[in-house]
Structure formats: C-alpha cells, structure tokens
C-alpha cells in the first residue's frame, strides 16, 4: 500500500520547492510567478523508519524494503478555480484520487515572490482554498443528483434514498460546510462521500512554509494555521521548504547538524510522512521472508491479520491459516527471531487478530 499525498495550495506558496526537497531532486520547475506547474509532478520516496534499519542490522537481509509515499505536486489554485480560473478545473481533477492532501500555507515574506492576493495572509488563503474545493464538490454532487433524478423516473422508490442523501449533502455544501463534516455523521455517509471522491472529504495535513529565521515554531503566521489544524484535529507541520531544498545536496550528517542548529529534529520528509500516517491513522508492520528480505507495510489501524496478509499478496489472505507475530521491541531485545521463539515470545494469532504498530509477522497460508 503506497500512500499518495497531493500537495495543494495557492500559487507561489512553495509547493514545488517542497516537492523537490521531498523527492531529493529538481523534478518540478520552480519560479516566482503563478502556474509554473501545469502538469502534476509525481515522485515516489522511501518512508524513513528507524525500526526497519534496526531490523536490518539484526537480520542482515539481502534487501530491506521500506514503505513509500507518492507525492503529487498540484498547480496553484486561485479564486474561481472551480470555474476554470487559472486552469483550475484541470488541476482539481488531479487531486481527487489521492489518499490525503498536504495544504501548504505561505507563512514567509520574501518580497521577490509575489502573492496572487497582494499580501501574505495564510488564513485568508485557506478560506479561498476551502471555498474553491467546496464549490468543486458541489458541482460533482449536483451532477450526480441530475443523473439519479433521470434514473429515478423509471423507478422512483429505488433511488429515493440516494436522492435524500445527495440533497442533504448538497445543502451542507451550499452552507459552506466541508464534506468531511457531513461524512463524520455515519459510516454510510463516509462510504458514499468516498465513492464520489469529494475533495473536502479528504484527510488533511497543514504545512506552514515559513522563513528559516522563524524556525522551529514558524512565528505568528504559522501559529494562526496551527490554530486551524487544532480545531480540525488535523496534523500540523512547520518547515522551511527553501532550506530543505538547499539541504538536499548536503551530506546527511551535516544536514542533520544544521537542522539541529535551527531547532529541527527531523527532515521535511520525516515530518510529512509521520503527519500523513497520523492523518490516515496508519500503522506499520514488518515481514521477514526467509531472512532474505525484510519489508515495512503500512495498513490502517485495526487491520486484521488476514487483511494484513492480503496486503502482502491477495492469495495469502484467501488461504490464510495463521500468523506468527513478534513485537518489534521484543525482537530487538533478544537479538533475533529464533532467540525470541526459544524464549516463547513468538505468538500464534488467527485471522481476526488486529495487527499492532511494529508487529513483525510471518504468515502461514494455503496456496
């Protein structure tokens, strides 16, 4: 399961600079004018996880495979994007299939980088973004209503329930409410909203892109965005995209030392990966294949052993017999799988067992 995160925001907020920093390369064009990004840039990166490194030191496998995140750099959205302003509709469609969106908020000054609204105000920018995404969702819902009404002419009873749901959602969106609030009203709402790929139903991570001098807290502008994130119980990250882009070419130890000087413990990739997992409530389990490969697998919290086996291979879920499970901390403490088994630490679990973060698993299945 590769996590896909769309990087969104108004023009000139640092999205492409951040994308280049995350993907460790000059993949996206960067310039101080709007709509530098026309086609979405995509880049897949490894998710840093010290636990995988620790397991590799113990197991000494031929291959250690981390989980990955695919970042999608979306062109800047402006007022009227839902009507096609600034090439908006074209870009809104690129967001609909990602797992979560990273909302980049400009919290840096830099008079050489123009702001499309004339001045830096990240809360206002968020309001513009939310309005455009909400209006785009409203268009999707209204098109669906027209289609369902047409189908209902032949069989009104069959479509009455769906029409009621759609009208409720339409009214909420017209009132300025995001689809995520409506979806929180029940599992059926959440499932229906997901089926429509509604932009305002997606999980969010808020990123305050600040000046280097304002690290690590981000200053007053970032504090305002932190308040928005707290109100929504959404992850919040402070970073300086320009600094991270510059550190890409530095030796890892020197880059880490410089980050420490400005009060940062982690890179932007580490911060965003952690926030993305938090937003989607993902955990990580590990597999060891004959001592040759260890691999990290992200799954939603609450995933059963059988479903987890299915994320490795669909046949493993169908023919699931049992899982042998060992907690990461226990494996590290005793120094290996065989030692843990000798001490009786390896558990045998059935298909309904809920995988825990850090579990190391061996799945037994019938081909």
């Amino acid at each position: 399961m590769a996590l896909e995160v769309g990087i969104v925001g108004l023009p000139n907020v640092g999205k492409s600079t951040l994308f280049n920093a995350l993907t460790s390369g000059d993949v996206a064009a960067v310039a101080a004018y709007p709509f530098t990004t026309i086609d979405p840039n995509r880049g897949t990166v490894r998710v840093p996880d010290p636990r995988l490194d620790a397991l590799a030191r113990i197991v000494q496998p031929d291959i250690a495979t981390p989980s990955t995140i695919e970042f999608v750099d979306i062109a800047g959205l402006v007022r009227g994007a839902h009507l096609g302003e600034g090439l908006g509709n074209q870009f809104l469609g690129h967001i609909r299939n990602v797992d979560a969106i990273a909302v980049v908020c400009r919290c840096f000054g830099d008079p050489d980088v123009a702001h499309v609204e004339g001045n830096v105000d990240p809360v206002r920018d968020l309001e513009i973004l939310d309005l455009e995404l909400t209006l785009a969702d409203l268009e999707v819902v209204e098109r669906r209503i027209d289609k369902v009404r047409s189908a209902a002419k032949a069989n009104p009873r069959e479509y009455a329930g769906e029409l009621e749901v759609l009208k409720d959602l339409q009214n909420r969106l017209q009132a300025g409410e995001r689809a995520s609030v409506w979806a929180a009203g029940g599992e059926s709402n959440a499932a229906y909203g997901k089926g429509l790929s509604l932009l305002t139903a997606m999980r969010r991570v808020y990123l305050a892109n600040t000046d280097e001098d304002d690290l690590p807290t981000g200053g007053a502008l970032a504090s305002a965005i932190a308040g928005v994130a707290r109100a929504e119980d959404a992850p919040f990250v402070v970073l300086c995209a320009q600094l991270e882009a510059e550190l890409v070419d530095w030796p890892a130890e020197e880059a880490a030392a410089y980050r420490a000087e400005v009060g940062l413990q982690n890179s932007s990739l580490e911060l965003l990966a952690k926030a993305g997992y938090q937003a989607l409530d993902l955990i990580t389990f590990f597999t060891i294949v004959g001592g040759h490969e260890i691999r990290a697998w992200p799954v939603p919290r609450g995933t059963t052993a059988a479903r987890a086996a299915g994320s490795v291979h669909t046949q493993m879920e169908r023919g699931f017999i049992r899982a042998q499970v060992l907690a990461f901390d226990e494996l590290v403490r005793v120094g290996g799988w065989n030692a843990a088994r000798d001490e009786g630490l390896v558990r045998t679990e059935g298909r309904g067992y809920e995988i825990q973060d850090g579990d190391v698993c061996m799945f037994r299945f019938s081909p």
Side-chain angles (χ1 to χ4, degrees):
M1 174 182 176
L3 174 62
E4 191 171 356
V5 175
I7 302 174
V8 301
L10 271 60
N12 291 351
V13 299
K15 300 184 307 301
S16 294
T17 302
L18 174 63
F19 177 84
N20 286 339
L22 293 169
T23 56
S24 300
D26 297 324
V27 178
V30 180
Y33 54 85
F35 311 122
T36 306
T37 303
I38 296 179
D39 295 320
N41 297 296
R42 293 178 175 270
T44 301
V45 300
R46 296 164 171 253
V47 176
D49 193 328
R51 296 174 300 182
L52 184 67
D53 299 332
L55 288 174
R57 287 192 294 270
I58 294 171
V59 178
Q60 296 290 308
D62 297 326
I63 304 172
T65 305
S67 55
T68 59
I69 295 180
E70 181 176 21
F71 292 106
V72 185
D73 178 26
I74 308 295
L77 300 176
V78 296
R79 292 183 189 272
H82 71 288
L83 299 174
E85 292 295 329
L87 307 176
N89 265 339
Q90 176 183 346
F91 301 131
L92 286 168
H94 294 148
I95 314 173
R96 293 197 180 276
N97 295 320
V98 299
D99 298 301
I101 56 176
V103 182
V104 182
C105 305
R106 178 170 172 174
C107 298
F108 64 89
D110 197 345
D112 293 330
V113 180
H115 194 294
V116 291
E117 291 292 319
N119 67 306
V120 177
D121 184 342
V123 174
R124 176 209 56 213
D125 293 353
L126 274 180
E127 291 172 353
I128 294 171
L129 185 72
D130 276 334
L131 176 61
E132 294 305 320
L133 297 183
T134 300
L135 291 173
D137 280 350
L138 185 58
E139 288 187 5
V140 170
V141 172
E142 289 175 343
R143 286 198 298 270
R144 180 63 184 170
I145 288 175
D146 289 342
K147 182 178 291 187
V148 172
R149 277 178 174 162
S150 178
K153 291 177 181 178
N155 192 345
R157 287 188 179 182
E158 182 178 348
Y159 294 95
E162 184 176 3
L163 273 175
E164 184 178 349
V165 169
L166 286 167
K167 289 294 293 181
D168 179 39
L169 177 54
Q170 180 188 39
N171 291 337
R172 300 281 195 95
L173 292 171
Q174 286 175 336
E177 185 176 290
R178 295 214 305 254
S180 58
V181 179
W182 173 82
E187 291 185 8
S188 59
N189 283 8
Y192 196 85
K194 185 175 182 179
L196 291 175
S197 298
L198 298 178
L199 300 169
T200 62
M202 291 180 177
R203 301 293 180 88
R204 293 185 175 190
V205 175
Y206 287 100
L207 304 181
N209 184 15
T210 187
D211 289 304
E212 182 180 339
D213 291 342
D214 287 328
L215 293 172
T217 60
L221 294 177
S223 179
I225 301 303
V228 173
R230 277 196 303 272
E232 298 179 13
D233 195 25
F236 169 70
V237 173
V238 175
L239 52 80
C240 175
Q242 186 59 46
L243 171 63
E244 292 294 333
E246 292 171 359
L247 292 179
V248 163
D249 296 325
W250 287 36
E253 290 185 1
E254 293 182 19
Y258 190 87
R259 289 191 186 95
E261 286 184 16
V262 296
L264 298 177
Q265 296 181 343
N266 304 99
S267 69
S268 57
L269 174 57
E270 291 168 325
L271 292 170
L272 187 49
K274 181 178 179 180
Y277 275 49
Q278 179 184 342
L280 294 167
D281 200 18
L282 298 178
I283 61 173
T284 302
F285 75 92
F286 304 91
T287 56
I288 301 175
V289 181
H292 301 298
E293 180 183 10
I294 58 172
R295 185 162 183 166
W297 302 89
V299 292
R301 192 179 303 278
T303 295
T304 63
R307 283 289 179 88
S311 67
V312 177
H313 195 287
T314 54
Q315 189 175 8
M316 294 176 71
E317 181 175 2
R318 289 195 299 267
F320 181 91
I321 298 173
R322 63 183 180 275
Q324 291 184 298
V325 181
L326 174 60
F328 165 79
D329 290 339
E330 295 286 3
L331 189 152
V332 172
R333 181 178 65 80
V334 300
W337 183 275
N338 290 336
R341 184 167 51 196
D342 292 342
E343 291 192 22
L345 299 174
V346 178
R347 311 186 312 274
T348 298
E349 303 287 358
R351 63 185 306 112
Y353 167 75
E354 289 190 2
I355 296 293
Q356 302 299 304
D357 188 41
D359 276 351
V360 183
C361 302
M362 288 189 181
F363 299 111
R364 305 302 181 192
F365 66 102
S366 175

